[in-house]
Amino acid sequence: MSLEAFRRVERDAWEKGAYGYWESFGPVFQPVSAQLLDRLALRTGDQVLDVATGPGWVAGAAAARGAHVFGADISRSMVDLAARLYPAAKFIQADAEALPFGQSRFDLSVSNLGLSHVARPTRMVAEMVRVTRDGGRVVVTTHDEPDATALVGLMNEAVMDAGVERPPSLPQGPSIFHHGFPGNEMFASLLEAAGLRDVMVSRIAFCYRTTTAGLWDILSRGSTSVALLLEAQSLTSRRRLKAAFARLAMRYGTLDQLDVPISIKFAVGTHG
């Protein structure tokens, strides 16, 4: 898939799936925003940019702590949703690879789980560096290795177990684990190659308690790639995939109570 086609598929998917993503993944990932900002020791009055903001979880959490915040996303539906949820922040529709801000504007530029949703991640990071002042920080997060973060790894494993084929309509970008696996070297080098110094990689790890049906609902309603996958399947294939998913999920508990491990890697570097 060409870069422009990948960008178009991602944008169109999020235009349709903004509310489902917020409703499904909000209880899972919204608390991560607070933990991330705790680690970064955000200060009142900081100028913050949240790139690929989605429903605005990081932007909203930063604004609640007294920062002056812009959130940017390629999807108009996401921007409108974030603006309704977090009126203390400002949200604009913008391509992460061509940010509409001048140089050295922000004290902190963040992108939370946006890497696998842009056509050129290196370009996104370069843009984040460009708009960050000397001495400011750039932060990106990504999913940890598959064994550490079952929320996304489990569905991939079920697809293989059930022998389900991925449709041509799915975006053919890098794997969601491309930057976080294996080890930390590739993830750190993404920031170092953009000219950032003192790059450090850390983790935010926790377990999310849900049911097997609840976990299936989160992924099928909230993940655009899973939704596209399911739409392309016959009823028989969909049932086979769901059965494989339920069987594999049992390693984390029972049908009525799963403790699903989730791990987010974040890399932070200093500009200048």
Side-chain angles (χ1 to χ4, degrees):
M1 186 176 289
S2 70
L3 294 178
E4 185 52 43
F6 175 84
R7 188 179 291 109
R8 183 176 62 253
V9 169
E10 281 285 334
R11 182 186 62 241
D12 292 349
W14 291 120
E15 292 293 2
K16 295 186 294 184
Y19 185 84
Y21 178 75
W22 166 71
E23 188 176 48
S24 300
F25 281 103
V28 183
F29 287 137
Q30 190 171 2
V32 174
S33 301
Q35 293 186 52
L36 180 63
L37 295 178
D38 286 343
R39 302 273 190 100
L40 296 172
L42 186 72
R43 299 165 300 185
T44 300
D46 276 351
Q47 300 287 329
V48 176
L49 174 64
D50 182 19
V51 179
T53 188
W57 294 321
V58 171
R65 298 179 184 216
H68 303 292
V69 186
F70 272 96
D73 200 280
I74 198 170
S75 163
R76 168 52 58 184
S77 295
M78 281 294 193
V79 168
D80 291 344
L81 174 60
R84 291 198 301 271
L85 293 172
Y86 305 107
K90 298 178 181 178
F91 295 94
I92 61 169
Q93 186 177 13
D95 188 339
E97 299 174 37
L99 295 170
F101 300 103
Q103 293 188 151
S104 306
R105 169 76 180 272
F106 298 98
D107 299 299
L108 176 67
S109 294
V110 182
S111 182
N112 187 31
L113 301 177
L115 285 174
S116 61
H117 300 291
V118 296
R120 297 179 295 177
T122 54
R123 179 61 184 168
M124 181 186 78
V125 175
E127 278 291 273
M128 293 171 68
V129 172
R130 180 183 65 80
V131 301
T132 303
R133 66 168 179 81
D134 283 351
R137 292 170 297 170
V138 172
V139 183
V140 291
T141 76
T142 190
H143 292 286
D144 204 341
E145 302 178 15
D147 289 343
T149 185
L151 183 67
V152 287
L154 190 60
M155 183 62 78
N156 290 343
E157 191 176 351
V159 167
M160 295 180 63
D161 187 85
V164 171
E165 294 188 5
R166 296 180 181 274
S169 57
L170 276 179
Q172 298 300 309
S175 163
I176 200 169
F177 301 112
H178 177 71
H179 297 285
F181 175 76
N184 297 332
E185 292 77 13
M186 183 181 294
F187 194 26
S189 69
L190 180 69
L191 275 66
E192 291 166 345
L196 296 170
R197 59 179 173 85
D198 302 328
V199 175
M200 298 182 63
V201 177
S202 302
R203 288 175 173 82
I204 297 173
F206 58 100
C207 282
Y208 181 72
R209 178 161 289 183
T210 184
T211 64
T212 303
L215 184 59
W216 175 266
D217 188 62
I218 288 171
L219 292 168
S220 60
R221 293 183 63 243
S223 168
T224 56
S225 60
V226 173
L228 288 171
L229 173 70
L230 293 175
E231 285 174 7
Q233 304 305 314
S234 66
L235 182 60
T236 299
S237 293
R238 192 177 302 187
R239 285 173 174 168
R240 190 167 70 247
L241 176 58
K242 192 171 184 179
F245 180 87
R247 183 174 63 256
L248 292 167
M250 289 303 95
R251 71 183 63 157
Y252 304 114
T254 67
L255 283 173
D256 297 325
Q257 183 174 303
L258 299 177
D259 288 308
V260 183
I262 299 170
S263 182
I264 305 298
K265 282 186 179 179
F266 71 92
V268 54
T270 302
H271 185 208

